[in-house]
Amino acid sequence: MKKYDILAIGELNVDLLLNRIAGFPEIGKEIFAEDMTLTLGSSTAIFAANAATLGARVSFIGMIGRDSFGDVVKSTLALRHVDISNLIEVGDAATGLTAILNYDNDRANVTYPGAMSRMGVKDLRPEIIREAKHVHVSSVFLQENLHRDLYEIVRLVKDCGATLSMDVQFDPAETWDFDCARILPLVDVFMPNEQELMAITRKDSVEEAVAAIRPYAVVTVVKMGTRGSLLVTRDGQHVLPAMLNKQVVDAIGAGDSFDAGFVAAYVQGKPLKECQRIGNLTGAVNTTAAGGTGAFTSKEAVAAAAEKCFGQKLTL
Ligand SMILES: Nc1ncnc2c1ncn2[C@@H]1O[C@H](COP(=O)(O)OP(=O)(O)O)[C@@H](O)[C@H]1O
Ligand SMILES: [Mg+2]
């Protein structure tokens, strides 16, 4: 019996949202924002928090500074029942932060990656990984050293006996440097969205991209927004249309919530098509409330939204 169902390895940062700002900032001037929120921002954190809400025993390896934003990260994860005992706190780098300036439907973001860009394979302790049934690695391009060491990291996870899922997320540099032939054979469930899959394979269609990774990939699930998801196994493909939400509050974190539902089902040994159904469902539930974790206040709340908005059972 392993201590953790899921060990998330990835980024941790806080989002500082400034809303209803009097105008665009100008050098040498000062303006007011009428509203401000400080929240846990990163994609891996949304995944971990929501997987824990769905009932999985989740721990996290991520790097933060020994500072007050680091305290925000820790207390928010703990409140969501994510184990924080494996977080790495460093004294010589600050916790990452994204400042988000919201203007109507548009936003200007500035990110300081801070501590999270420094975590590499040498920071990952095998004895912790051996305590996990499953490892989820995400945001591989956002974290400089994790990206550099990605092959060694997936190798280490497999040597420690865990199953592995991976969500690449966006590459801010847009170079999309990802060695499919080396990495994918070690990934049990690969979870990109369609743009990311086309970018890493340098193909113009999802069909061509899927064909390009077929020699290497074990199981792939491609997230396709309002069109749902595509499950690709060595035996075939299965498109599951989205459980469409016509009154989307926002789609922030929909992909992370999809991953949380899919992986929470996967670690329970559910058939892949059922994992896909639960992924589509938790992705859809995510869009019924603000932000990536707003709809995930409790497992009961997720199950209720699943029934009420989509007529679906949360069978976790
Ligand atoms: N408007 C929506 N209504 C219902 N489900 C949605 C909606 N938007 C996204 N989803 C679900 O969430 C999943 C992940 O969203 P997507 O936007 O594809 O991921 P990402 O955030 O990684 O780009 C989709 O595969 C879909 O099942
Ligand atoms: Mg995504």
Side-chain angles (χ1 to χ4, degrees):
M1 181 72 177
K2 305 266 186 170
K3 193 168 168 188
Y4 311 119
D5 296 317
I6 302 169
L7 176 64
I9 299 180
E11 33 132 22
L12 285 170
N13 76 326
V14 293
D15 280 353
L16 175 69
L17 293 111
L18 294 166
N19 302 319
R20 292 188 282 133
I21 307 170
F24 287 99
E26 282 178 58
I27 304 296
K29 291 194 176 174
E30 181 159 347
I31 52 173
F32 286 121
E34 285 181 42
D35 182 56
M36 183 198 87
T37 319
L38 186 73
T39 62
L40 182 58
S42 56
S43 189
T44 320
I46 294 170
F47 164 83
N50 292 350
T53 297
L54 295 171
R57 296 166 306 154
V58 182
S59 186
F60 204 117
I61 304 183
M63 201 176 265
I64 52 177
R66 213 168 277 131
D67 48 29
S68 45
F69 288 148
D71 293 340
V72 171
V73 168
K74 286 190 288 180
S75 59
T76 314
L77 285 176
L79 209 64
R80 297 288 180 150
H81 306 289
V82 175
D83 170 69
I84 56 170
S85 65
N86 297 312
L87 296 185
I88 306 164
E89 290 180 70
V90 293
D92 56 348
T95 302
L97 174 132
T98 299
I100 302 165
L101 278 61
N102 279 317
Y103 295 95
D104 297 326
N105 291 321
D106 233 325
R107 43 172 57 195
N109 292 3
V110 181
T111 292
Y112 169 69
M116 70 168 157
S117 64
R118 297 222 327 228
M119 187 174 74
V121 70
K122 67 170 178 25
D123 300 300
L124 306 180
R125 287 170 35 214
E127 62 273 26
I128 298 170
I129 301 173
R130 273 188 226 109
E131 290 183 316
K133 202 167 158 182
H134 182 92
V135 170
H136 182 75
V137 175
S138 73
S139 307
V140 306
F141 299 111
L142 271 182
Q143 305 165 86
E144 196 181 331
N145 289 356
L146 182 133
H147 180 236
R148 181 197 64 199
D149 298 346
L150 194 60
Y151 176 73
E152 286 73 24
I153 292 171
V154 297
R155 207 36 298 157
L156 173 65
V157 170
K158 297 317 290 178
D159 290 345
C160 291
T163 50
L164 172 66
S165 52
M166 183 183 291
D167 186 343
V168 292
Q169 306 286 17
F170 196 74
D171 180 5
E174 296 194 59
T175 43
W176 302 99
D177 167 29
F178 186 90
D179 191 344
C180 293
R182 254 182 124 204
I183 291 167
L184 292 184
L186 299 168
V187 177
D188 298 283
V189 184
F190 186 49
M191 322 185 83
N193 71 21
E194 44 190 349
Q195 288 77 23
E196 293 152 3
L197 180 63
M198 289 189 285
I200 61 166
T201 55
R202 308 188 197 276
K203 300 291 181 196
D204 299 322
S205 73
V206 174
E207 296 75 60
E208 288 173 286
V210 165
I213 62 165
R214 187 167 295 130
Y216 319 115
V218 184
V219 169
T220 305
V221 58
V222 187
K223 289 164 281 181
M224 308 189 301
T226 51
R227 286 180 294 109
S229 61
L230 166 68
L231 176 69
V232 186
T233 65
R234 285 181 174 150
D235 304 324
Q237 304 192 4
H238 181 246
V239 174
L240 184 64
M243 293 139 194
L244 208 56
N245 180 7
K246 295 207 176 72
Q247 292 163 317
V248 173
V249 176
D250 70 54
I252 297 168
D256 309 315
S257 297
F258 177 101
D259 295 351
F262 188 108
V263 174
Y266 184 82
V267 296
Q268 288 185 3
K270 298 214 184 291
L272 290 169
K273 282 186 183 169
E274 176 64 357
C275 299
Q276 183 186 19
R277 185 189 69 85
I278 294 175
N280 272 26
L281 183 57
T282 50
V285 167
N286 179 104
T287 66
T288 63
T293 58
F296 290 76
T297 50
S298 68
K299 189 174 171 183
E300 294 68 38
V302 178
E307 282 277 3
K308 181 172 156 270
C309 307
F310 309 106
Q312 295 273 331
K313 285 241 174 320
L314 183 75
T315 50
L316 290 172

